[in-house]
Amino acid sequence: MDDVWDLVVVGAGPAGSAAALRARQLDPGCRVLLLDRAAFPRDKACGDGIAAHARQELALLGLPGLLDDHRPTPRLSVTSPGGARVSAVVARPNHVVPRRVFDARLVEAARARGVEVRRHRVRTLTALGEHVVIDGHLVARAVVAADGANSAVRRLIGVPPSPDRHTAIAVRGYADVPPDDDEQVIVMQSEAWPAYAWSFPVGDGTANVGYGLLLPMLRQTGRPGREILHGRLARLLPLLGEVRSPVRDLRAHHLPLSSGRPVPGAGRVLLAGDAASLVNPLTGEGIYYALLSGRLAAEAAIGSPGDPLRAYRRGLRRALGRHLRTTDALALAARSPGFIDAAIAVAARRTEVFDLLVDVGLGAGTVPPRLAAAVALRWLKNFT
Ligand SMILES: Cc1cc2nc3c(=O)[nH]c(=O)nc-3n(C[C@H](O)[C@H](O)[C@H](O)COP(=O)(O)OP(=O)(O)OC[C@H]3O[C@@H](n4cnc5c(N)ncnc54)[C@H](O)[C@@H]3O)c2cc1C
């Protein structure tokens, strides 16, 4: 057996790298091992949209300038399923950075902070008193499982996968766009609702374009997933702005939505990011929640080694409790596309509502009762 690691992190996406970075930030002497089955840089199916809220997390992790060489994306346009549209400058700009670049930078930053990074696919896990043994030879005081939507560690500790009704699936690709395109475009679809297509310009004359929907809606079609996802993206492309080339590098993946989140771990194993089903059910945004939960998991593992899970649950509740209850409720209301039509129509008229919806969709925002009432009123009016 190896020596004992203070923390072993499984998966080096944003959640895992954030956990490793935070652990060494809190205790520069602690031994942290970051495992990933892939060699970095590696691609990951994603829209590559990095919200301002995620950059705030990067700053907390001591990496405020990680994306400074990438152009910010100041505008966001959202079209509702019924055609209401808002296009406005966001209060704090988002970024669009391909995951091949973003994730590799995080891993490099972790390595530079003294984290040991190894290529290793985790297959087994055993609780042994105050330790966890991985694959028979890696011994850890605590484990952060950040191994993504189809988390093997989650399965190994007996936490069931997200139910289909709380899982989305989306495809993304890249296409050429005008180099000065600086607007993130989201076009929601009433067909197979809830569903939407997007174009997120990278800033180098290309954009990440994609289409996603709930897994049961895809299954209902009875057709191969690839045919539906690729076909609908091709059909919706003309709505996404000036796309100048065919879409290349198509890649799809599941999004486990927070409306179906499980207990966030067992014993000394803490689930973070997609492994904890923390993707926003309204937008499909997951990077911010991955960075945040990874950070909180490390804080619990290093700060409360006696009972890290209890500390982690408390941390998650403080940071995201109200927000998650808000998005649970909104995801239910949004089953009626008319609710989203009303919300976007209100946001188009009132900047503070637009800003608030951005905070709810991309960050830890909540909805004040007065605003909920204004949207509900408009929604009801549309019925009468
Ligand atoms: C098409 C699509 C578009 C999206 N668009 C956006 C967007 O624009 N903005 C946004 O914020 N979010 C978006 N998301 C969600 C976002 O991609 C995820 O929420 C985010 O990647 C979660 O990060 P993570 O670190 O939890 O997991 P991941 O990024 O999936 O990283 C998990 C890592 O674990 C490794 N791993 C897996 N199994 C093992 C194992 N057994 N042993 C060792 N390593 C293992 C993998 O190789 C991987 O590197 C999108 C998702 C999809 C599918």
Side-chain angles (χ1 to χ4, degrees), residues 344-370:
I344 298 299
V346 174
R349 283 189 293 109
R350 293 169 51 185
T351 310
E352 77 280 13
V353 175
F354 174 77
D355 292 343
L356 208 132
L357 290 184
V358 170
D359 270 348
V360 172
L362 304 182
T366 59
V367 177
R370 272 208 351 243

Side-chain angles (χ1 to χ4, degrees), residues 10-15 36-37 40 42 44-49 99 120-122 146-148 152 170 198 200 253 255 273-274 279 284-287 290:
V10 184
D36 201 292
R37 66 183 177 194
F40 285 74
R42 63 103 178 84
K44 151 83 178 83
C46 186
D48 303 333
R99 294 289 298 274
H120 178 102
R121 183 191 196 117
V122 171
D147 50 343
W198 71 83
F200 293 170
H253 202 56
L255 297 94
D274 280 13
V279 173
E285 208 255 12
I287 294 173

Side-chain angles (χ1 to χ4, degrees), residues 103-163:
D103 291 22
R105 282 186 185 184
L106 285 171
V107 170
E108 262 330 294
R111 206 193 302 271
R113 200 170 281 174
V115 171
E116 177 153 345
V117 181
R118 284 190 203 163
R119 187 168 185 192
H120 178 102
R121 183 191 196 117
V122 171
R123 294 173 198 278
T124 69
L125 198 116
T126 319
L128 209 66
E130 298 194 338
H131 296 111
V132 180
V133 183
I134 294 175
D135 291 334
H137 69 287
L138 297 168
V139 185
R141 290 188 217 288
V143 171
V144 172
D147 50 343
N150 301 318
S151 172
V153 176
R154 175 167 162 165
R155 204 176 51 244
L156 290 169
I157 61 171
V159 175
S162 273

